[in-house]
Every structure is written in C-alpha cells, then in structure tokens.
Amino acid sequence: MAVGEQNVAVIGCGALGLTSAILLQRAGAKVTIYAKERPPEVRSARATGSWTPDSRIALTNSVTPDFPALWEKMCRTSFHTYESYLGMAGNPVEWIDRYILSDSSPAARRAAPAGAADETRLDFASYQDRVADLNAALSGLAAGEPSVSNEICKEKFEPDV
C-alpha cells in the first residue's frame, strides 16, 4: 500500500468481503465493513471451497522461468493462512480428507483421454512436487488393485442447520 493512512470501505461481510478486509488490514489499511447482514445470515456462510493449489494454474508454455518459485511462495502463504484459521470460533476452516479410488495412477488420470488429438490438449504446468511436504502422500496397492490417492483438498465446511 502507498505510504500514509489508508481508509478503505468493504461492502459485504461474506467470504470475499471478510477476506478482502483481512488482507487490507494486514497491508496496513484501516478498514470499515458495510454489510446488510452478518454471518451466519450472509449467503456465503454455507459456502465451501477447496484448497487445490496445483489445479490448472498456468499453461506450461505461458510461464516465465521464475514463475515456479513465485507460485510456490504463493502456495505456501495460502496454505499457512488457511492453517491459521483452524480452531477459531465458528470453525471457519476444517481439514477434510478426500480419497480417490482408481484403476489408474494420478498421472494417468491427468493425461489426455484416449483418442484425443494432441493439438487440442492443453498442457498445464504442474508444481505439486515443490510443495510435496504440504500434500498427503499417495499410496499404491498391490498390482491389479486400484491406487489410493489422498489428494490435497482442504475445505471449509459448515453443515446446514
């Protein structure tokens, strides 16, 4: 933020409004939130979201050489921000494991479908190896059995009341 006092108004206190307000405060702004309703009456109080940092972030041929390091920094910041909300009143963030059973490996599932023309397939960059310490491990079963993948998926979940 520019030098000097910054007063910012945020309209709404749903997921986007509160996120904006928090980020602005961390950047040094004085924030005032204007909202018709407050949680849990706001529409996004029942919203869910997944933390999937490597989900089609960029095309391989469109990134600069320094992009992977920048992506990793943003990914780690995002993860630790989510992590800091664990255990807060109202449970704004909860970790929920997801499992995928498949006869093929995760790499094979990401590959183009059989018969797809190479020129129509988009080549998305994958940087999951840079944050492997944040990801749950893949575990394979015996040959011929499906692989089990506890893929990274961190969600905010609030049951309907």
Side-chain angles (χ1 to χ4, degrees):
M1 294 198 85
V3 178
E5 186 174 332
Q6 299 289 321
N7 294 310
V8 179
V10 172
I11 309 299
C13 64
L16 295 176
L18 291 177
T19 299
S20 298
I22 288 168
L23 292 173
L24 286 161
Q25 282 183 328
R26 287 181 181 167
K30 180 179 176 189
V31 179
T32 302
I33 299 173
Y34 296 94
K36 179 179 172 184
E37 297 172 325
R38 296 187 331 179
E41 284 76 33
V42 296
R43 183 175 302 262
S44 61
R46 289 178 182 77
T48 62
S50 296
W51 186 83
T52 56
D54 199 31
S55 179
R56 298 184 177 177
I57 191 70
L59 293 174
T60 302
N61 63 356
S62 299
V63 297
T64 62
D66 60 334
F67 181 76
L70 175 62
W71 174 88
E72 181 180 352
K73 180 180 178 185
M74 292 186 300
C75 177
R76 289 183 182 283
T77 299
S78 172
F79 181 84
H80 294 303
T81 299
Y82 268 96
E83 197 174 46
S84 74
Y85 297 136
L86 288 171
M88 291 180 73
N91 294 322
V93 170
E94 295 181 60
W95 286 165
I96 300 172
D97 291 330
R98 277 193 192 169
Y99 299 89
I100 296 173
L101 295 175
S102 175
D103 289 330
S104 58
S105 69
R109 289 195 308 270
R110 287 190 290 267
D118 286 342
E119 62 271 4
T120 63
R121 183 173 173 256
L122 296 175
D123 186 22
F124 288 100
S126 179
Y127 305 119
Q128 283 188 351
D129 57 326
R130 297 181 72 100
V131 292
D133 58 303
L134 302 180
N135 292 316
L138 299 178
S139 60
L141 302 176
E145 294 183 15
S147 65
V148 178
S149 166
N150 182 357
E151 293 186 344
I152 188 159
C153 180
K154 307 303 184 189
E155 294 189 21
K156 173 183 180 287
F157 174 77
E158 293 185 21
D160 289 330
V161 179

